[in-house]
Amino acid sequence: MTTSATLETFLAANSDVIACELTSVRGSSPREEGTFMLVALGAIFGTIGGGALEYMVIDHARRLIAEGRAEEAMDVPLGPEIGQCCGGRVKVELRYADAVIRRDYAARLEVEIASTPQVYVFGAGHVGRVLAQMLALLPVRMEVIDTRQDELDQLPPGIAHRRVAMPEAVVRSAPKGSAFVIMTHDHALDFLIAAEALNRLDSPYVGMVGSKTKRAKFASWFVEQGGDKALLQRLVLPIGAQGLGDKRPSVIAVLAAAEVMVQIGGREASNGRTPTPGKQGVASGF
């Protein structure tokens, strides 16, 4: 996911930048109103949806830079005349990104990042490592939790992680609305983490790697420990099943990532906070 540091690096490397923002959207379009991207002569930050519209806007933005002009407005029908078939119409505002505009977009990105859902992956084993890499590409904040430093050391660079002696404590202190994916090396530890997570009624997703047998054992243990049987309906176990029965780590991971995103989106929609990528700015364009 895009970070403030990524934006800072882009702006530091490019003195002449045009900010391109969708200010009006009617009908179907690749992105929503409020989506923006930044265009320099040799680099681009973000996306307004790709395709003919984006290429046209990039061309206009670079023409502004070459001609030393500060702004331009575009009104584009997304039809056959530009090689797209969305059927909608968008207005695009292009402005030279001076210091004020740069600060504005940086602030907007900070707000988006602060409101981005948190996902915790418990376990840095085969499935956990792949899942972490996939979630790192999505509009979530993600952290891998494990008790084993040697497993954490195998994560690719840039993946947020933490060695924790009592992972279940992370659940208790997690931000509101966090999602939890549980796949440690120890079933007992999985159970402790899951029990904490199921009691977080604000969590949109609680998933555990395993089988129907593991689910039955956990359900029995959970109830014996005084857990509310009704909460078990919230538990996704096994994760990434989707009726495929494919046990390869990469397949489980990609299906689990999809489950997480669907449940996060569903929870936000039910709360009247459906995430609108365009209104979240540039980060969601990656």
Side-chain angles (χ1 to χ4, degrees), residues 151-227:
E151 293 292 336
L152 292 171
D153 289 341
Q154 296 184 54
L155 289 168
I159 299 293
H161 62 273
R162 190 173 11 142
R163 182 185 178 186
V164 178
M166 297 177 62
E168 65 273 20
V170 173
V171 178
R172 293 193 290 270
S173 62
K176 184 177 180 179
S178 295
F180 307 100
V181 191
I182 306 159
M183 51 186 71
T184 78
H185 61 296
D186 186 325
H187 283 194
L189 182 56
D190 282 352
F191 286 10
L192 289 172
I193 298 169
E196 290 285 351
L198 288 176
N199 284 304
R200 289 286 305 260
L201 300 183
D202 59 296
S203 175
Y205 181 88
V206 179
M208 189 191 304
V209 74
S211 61
K212 292 181 180 180
T213 300
K214 185 175 180 179
R215 182 184 184 90
K217 289 183 177 180
F218 172 77
S220 176
W221 174 86
F222 184 69
V223 173
E224 287 176 0
Q225 296 301 311

Side-chain angles (χ1 to χ4, degrees), residues 9-122:
T9 299
F10 174 86
L11 293 175
N14 297 281
S15 57
D16 293 322
V17 174
I18 298 294
C20 311
E21 181 170 341
L22 300 183
T23 56
S24 174
V25 172
R26 287 183 290 164
S28 299
S29 73
R31 298 298 299 276
E32 293 80 8
E33 183 178 320
T35 304
F36 64 88
M37 69 177 178
L38 306 177
V39 179
L41 286 177
I44 300 169
F45 183 85
T47 176
I48 57 171
L53 171 65
E54 181 159 303
Y55 281 112
M56 182 184 297
V57 172
I58 292 171
D59 182 61
H60 277 258
R62 287 175 172 163
R63 189 178 304 145
L64 288 182
I65 295 175
E67 296 175 358
R69 294 163 56 202
E71 63 183 76
E72 183 172 316
M74 300 173 64
D75 188 350
V76 186
L78 303 177
E81 54 265 49
I82 70 164
Q84 291 197 223
C85 56
C86 295
R89 193 179 192 98
V90 300
K91 291 184 179 180
V92 187
E93 183 179 69
L94 293 83
R95 297 181 296 165
Y96 184 83
D98 58 16
V100 174
I101 291 176
R102 288 174 181 235
R103 286 196 297 271
D104 175 59
Y105 282 124
R108 287 170 63 174
L109 181 57
E110 288 285 356
V111 170
E112 177 183 351
I113 292 173
S115 63
T116 300
Q118 177 77 49
V119 179
Y120 290 95
V121 176
F122 291 91

Side-chain angles (χ1 to χ4, degrees), residues 1-8 36 45 104-119 138-142 175-176 178 268 273 277 279-286:
M1 196 184 106
T2 306
T3 65
S4 298
T6 310
L7 176 58
E8 291 175 4
F36 64 88
F45 183 85
D104 175 59
Y105 282 124
R108 287 170 63 174
L109 181 57
E110 288 285 356
V111 170
E112 177 183 351
I113 292 173
S115 63
T116 300
Q118 177 77 49
V119 179
L138 300 174
V140 297
R141 288 178 291 167
M142 185 274 305
K176 184 177 180 179
S178 295
E268 292 186 331
R273 293 178 52 252
K279 294 187 182 299
Q280 293 183 48
V282 68
S284 54
F286 287 79

